[in-house]
Amino acid sequence: MPAQLPLDPDGQPMGANVVPDGSGVVFRCWAPRADRVWVVGDFNAWTANESSLLNKRDGFWVGFFSSVTAGAHYKFRVDGRLNDPNRMKRDPYARELTKFPQHPRSECIVVDPRTYTWHDQNYGTPDFSDLIVYQLHVGTFNGVNRENRPAKFLDVLGRLDYLSALGVNALLFLPVTEFMSQRGLGYEGSDIFSPEQDYSVTEDEADDYLTLVNGLRQRAGLPQVDAKFLASQSNQLKVLIELCHLRGMAVILDIVFSHAGADIGGPDGVESLWNFEQWDIRQDHESYMFSDQDHAGPCWDIDWKEPCRQFLIDNADFFYREYHIDGFRFDLVSVIVEKNPMHGWEFCQNLTNTLNY
């Protein structure tokens, strides 16, 4: 039998989500042209069989697994018309990716966002007209041995006193989600829900940051954390954002909805969302989420694919809800509008309206 069908299957969120009572995980993805989709992971020995097959519903695939818990590693296996020997695909909505195996062969990690307790409820974003914005690139900001090692989210914490003394009340981060290249500004995105791995540390490395992190948390009246808690990539970014808020600084993200990375359709993109459905793009000239337009990489197909528009709106909503982001700087809105003339303006308006709501 396929995976158990959850209650309200069409109303389930996308990706991998731990159910409220913690009794399992619901997986959901969009692949209308795929023949079959399974969920495989360390909970079923990475085996695609009838018990790991998802249920297809109007182009979406969904299933509930009672054997899966937060921390599990997984991927989707997709069968389609293209007989690709590598049928494994990363979840486009994955909250975290493993550092080992490394990207682009990373495994997805099930994350329960409710395990992070926020303490910034009393923070209020300054009025737009009062913002004093400091733009920074995490990978090159306050790093140690930067020639050989990108700086980390937690490195930024070492400069909060400096930034506060400057009078800054808003930090604008260049893109911080997973991108293809080893070094770059982050505008070649590939996994736009996952924090950039090069900006995060492992549990062993987290030990070196505990004094800094817990010192700042103690000053803010927050409970102490350990290296295991801090090993989570999403927790590292959340710790940074929360401490910024408690120092009176808003956090704005630069996000890229104009295009993805140019390499996403190359050999390193075989497990990406580029050809998630295992469809012969070369024959049909139609990609999963992308149009035939290009701007430093394939443009998102917001003209003809409603699930693509929703994917990007979900992304902004995700960072607002789960990371308490205060605002966004959208990369190249002119490209969104000019290369998607039918729905560019409408997309921008719908996204803004969703966040305002």
Side-chain angles (χ1 to χ4, degrees):
M1 292 180 60
Q4 185 177 343
L5 198 63
L7 296 175
D8 186 23
D10 299 327
Q12 297 295 323
M14 302 291 285
N17 293 278
V18 180
V19 298
D21 64 3
S23 61
V25 173
V26 174
F27 295 88
R28 187 168 183 248
C29 66
W30 179 64
R33 296 179 296 186
D35 294 330
R36 296 202 290 183
V37 178
W38 294 264
V39 172
V40 297
D42 54 9
F43 45 86
N44 64 5
W46 299 91
T47 302
N49 52 38
E50 286 302 309
S51 63
S52 62
L53 178 65
L54 297 180
N55 297 273
K56 187 174 185 180
R57 300 178 63 85
D58 297 326
F60 292 85
W61 300 78
V62 62
F64 171 73
F65 293 79
S66 60
S67 60
V68 184
T69 58
H73 293 189
Y74 73 98
K75 288 182 181 179
F76 292 114
R77 178 186 145 162
V78 182
D79 276 9
R81 192 172 73 183
L82 183 63
N83 191 21
D84 192 330
N86 186 349
R87 302 175 187 178
M88 296 297 192
K89 297 292 181 181
R90 298 190 301 275
D91 179 4
Y93 282 81
R95 289 180 170 90
E96 281 189 26
L97 302 174
T98 62
K99 291 173 74 73
F100 310 102
Q102 294 180 322
H103 198 270
R105 302 295 182 180
S106 297
E107 298 163 1
C108 306
I109 304 174
V110 176
V111 175
D112 186 352
R114 293 166 299 186
T115 60
Y116 190 95
T117 302
W118 288 87
H119 303 84
D120 61 351
Q121 293 83 357
N122 295 326
Y123 173 74
T125 308
D127 186 80
F128 185 81
S129 61
D130 293 329
L131 289 179
I132 303 173
V133 181
Y134 188 105
Q135 178 179 286
L136 64 91
H137 176 237
V138 171
T140 59
F141 188 76
N142 196 39
V144 179
N145 191 20
R146 291 191 306 191
E147 293 79 8
N148 301 310
R149 172 187 180 274
K152 311 298 179 182
F153 292 123
L154 299 180
D155 286 323
V156 179
L157 293 174
R159 302 301 298 275
L160 287 190
D161 287 343
Y162 164 75
L163 293 167
S164 181
L166 286 178
V168 170
N169 64 8
L171 298 183
L172 168 58
F173 294 155
L174 269 64
V176 298
T177 57
E178 186 63 41
F179 55 91
M180 298 288 287
S181 64
Q182 290 292 319
R183 298 281 180 134
L185 296 177
Y187 293 96
E188 59 273 35
S190 61
D191 300 79
I192 64 174
F193 285 77
S194 307
E196 167 58 40
Q197 296 175 27
D198 286 341
Y199 299 166
S200 64
V201 298
T202 63
E203 184 172 344
D204 290 340
E205 295 171 316
D207 278 325
D208 297 333
Y209 288 91
L210 285 178
T211 300
L212 170 63
V213 171
N214 282 326
L216 291 172
R217 289 177 66 85
Q218 184 177 25
R219 285 166 56 182
L222 303 185
Q224 304 290 279
V225 297
D226 58 22
K228 183 176 181 180
F229 173 89
L230 208 54
S232 164
Q233 299 165 40
S234 55
N235 283 356
Q236 291 170 41
L237 181 53
K238 290 174 182 177
V239 163
L240 170 58
I241 293 169
E242 183 173 39
L243 287 171
C244 286
H245 284 169
L246 296 176
R247 294 299 298 272
M249 287 181 276
V251 177
I252 302 168
L253 289 189
D254 194 337
I255 54 178
V256 188
F257 291 164
S258 49
H259 66 279
D263 294 334
I264 199 170
D268 286 343
V270 66
E271 294 189 0
S272 73
L273 57 82
W274 168 258
N275 192 12
F276 189 86
E277 301 172 290
Q278 296 286 9
W279 197 258
D280 192 346
I281 299 173
R282 290 166 296 183
Q283 177 178 329
D284 294 278
H285 306 290
E286 184 179 358
S287 177
Y288 173 63
M289 284 270 190
F290 303 101
S291 70
D292 59 358
Q293 301 291 310
D294 189 277
H295 183 90
C299 295
W300 300 98
D301 191 1
I302 62 173
D303 267 354
W304 300 107
K305 293 186 174 71
E306 172 60 31
C308 176
R309 293 195 293 275
Q310 190 60 53
F311 175 69
L312 300 177
I313 292 173
D314 286 349
N315 185 250
D317 182 61
F318 164 80
F319 278 105
Y320 171 72
R321 291 178 183 271
E322 295 197 10
Y323 284 89
H324 291 199
I325 289 299
D326 301 286
F328 299 99
R329 180 264 177 187
F330 299 106
D331 179 59
L332 287 170
V333 174
S334 59
V335 171
I336 296 174
V337 175
E338 291 171 7
K339 290 188 178 291
N340 302 280
M342 289 182 62
H343 297 108
W345 284 104
E346 180 185 359
F347 164 76
C348 294
Q349 292 167 340
N350 288 347
L351 188 151
T352 302
N353 290 338
T354 297
L355 293 176
N356 285 337
Y357 177 80

